[in-house]
Amino acid sequence: MAASTLTEVARLAGVSPATASRVLNGSARTPGPDIAERVRKAADSLGYIPNAQAQGLAKSSSGLIGLIVHDIADPYFAAIARGVQAAARHQNKMVLLATTAGSPADERAAVAAFAARRADSIVIAGSRSARTADRQGNADLAAELDRYCRNGGMVGVVGHAVVGAESDEGYHVVEVPNEELAAELARELAASHAGEFVIIAGPEGLLTSDDRVRGFQRGLAEAGLPPAEVLHTGFDRTGGYEAGLGLAARIGEHGGHGGAGSGTAGQPRLCIFAVNDVMAIGAAAALRSRGLRIPRDAAIAGFDDIETLRDFRPALSTVRLPLEEIGRLAVPGADSGLHEAAAVTVTGEVTLRRSTEPAGEPASWP
């Protein structure tokens, strides 16, 4: 069945199409209550569905927020999305979602699609990249976002400012002190670990990963320890698993299954820092697949405190971030308390659990 039109509604209500549009599309210029009621009844009887684009033009607002994440299946992004949804609900808006696998080119395409649908604001969550391979994609993304902001849009970014943006007009950034928190984690781990440290990191040039690597190395230096070896891999569970297999082979070469306080035959345990929790989960799974146990044979810590960790055993040491709050704060607009060119910094908390407890000691952390 063909959808009814605004003209048909106007004819049934006995008014002009312009008057019907003002009633149904939310214009500030509204006719008297009797006429408005007649138009609404006519629309109901015909099953008329208002045109969202026409409503956006009438209200100067589409009621839409665009959200761009790397992977909605990743619990980190899922938690941020919940926060964005909560803020959108508070503003009586709906969320449009795009997943891009971290590709600046795909992010640019998503921005263009959201702009074409007159989204009131756009939120981008996911590490920015300074990799040479992403240079052109970054430039195209920045140009698309700058154009969107010049046309009155607002952009919230989680973590780092958009690489290559011409100005901060229309933008705000929710900053996370990744380097400082990673340094604090390193200092706390250094106090109870005499063995070597290894960092499982994302690709070089991924700014969030680089910040956490740099901070962890600084924390080790402040504790008087040599720098950790850095293994670069995919910034996901698969990357963590692949790195974990290599580390499992290394532990196995030294004998494995050491006594109390050691992870190999008489040698101090390896302490692994994965720059996000899903990488830590992947690395731990790789160690288990080779018959190694945490924390007996190796200690491991992550970063983010994703919800998945509630069911992970042994409980994983990590840095707890307020992920849903980050999502809420990233949504521009009066309801979030943030406006264009604004910035806010959130912080986190080092949370030590069983996965980094000294081997051979009874569990004292959750």
Side-chain angles (χ1 to χ4, degrees), residues 48-307:
Y48 173 75
I49 300 174
N51 184 295
Q53 290 181 323
Q55 287 185 325
L57 289 170
K59 298 177 182 178
S60 297
S61 170
S62 66
L64 299 174
I65 296 172
L67 171 61
I68 301 172
V69 300
H70 288 186
D71 180 8
I72 195 60
D74 185 326
Y76 170 87
F77 293 111
I80 288 176
R82 281 199 300 270
V84 171
Q85 179 63 53
R89 188 179 299 113
H90 189 62
Q91 296 182 20
N92 295 314
K93 296 181 179 180
M94 298 296 292
V95 176
L96 301 176
L97 174 67
T99 60
T100 63
S103 162
D106 289 346
E107 289 176 329
R108 186 213 63 78
V111 170
F114 292 155
R117 288 159 179 78
R118 301 177 60 84
D120 298 329
S121 59
I122 295 173
V123 175
I124 301 180
S127 179
R128 300 297 88 209
S129 170
R131 292 177 291 181
T132 301
D134 290 328
R135 182 176 300 162
Q136 186 59 52
N138 282 337
D140 293 342
L141 171 63
E144 194 72 52
L145 286 167
D146 286 343
R147 184 182 306 113
Y148 172 75
C149 290
R150 286 195 299 269
N151 286 324
M154 297 181 66
V155 177
V157 188
V158 174
H160 295 85
V162 172
V163 176
E166 290 184 354
S167 73
D168 60 1
E169 183 178 356
Y171 293 91
H172 81 251
V173 180
V174 180
E175 299 172 341
V176 179
N178 287 301
E179 184 172 340
E180 291 75 11
L181 290 168
E184 182 181 347
L185 174 63
R187 289 192 296 268
E188 294 206 23
L189 293 177
S192 59
H193 291 273
E196 295 182 358
F197 286 81
V198 172
I199 301 172
I200 301 177
E204 289 187 85
L206 206 61
L207 299 185
T208 297
S209 175
D210 289 351
D211 284 351
R212 293 175 182 181
V213 170
R214 185 164 50 249
F216 198 84
Q217 298 285 38
R218 175 161 61 84
L220 292 179
E222 290 168 352
L225 297 178
E229 178 185 359
V230 181
L231 306 177
H232 290 285
T233 184
F235 197 55
D236 54 18
R237 184 189 182 282
T238 300
Y241 188 87
E242 291 172 352
L245 289 177
L247 293 175
R250 183 185 308 180
I251 295 170
E253 288 173 0
H254 289 88
H257 310 330
S262 66
T264 62
Q267 295 185 1
R269 292 174 305 157
L270 192 66
C271 187
I272 303 164
F273 168 52
V275 297
N276 67 41
D277 287 339
V278 294
M279 295 175 75
I281 290 171
L287 295 181
R288 284 196 301 270
S289 74
R290 295 300 184 265
L292 300 173
R293 290 174 53 187
I294 297 169
R296 183 191 65 188
D297 300 309
I300 188 166
F303 202 112
D304 292 330
D305 199 27
I306 57 176
E307 189 171 352

Side-chain angles (χ1 to χ4, degrees), residues 28-45:
R29 296 176 56 205
T30 56
D34 292 343
I35 294 176
E37 180 65 18
R38 198 161 72 238
V39 170
R40 293 191 187 96
K41 285 184 177 179
D44 288 343
S45 67

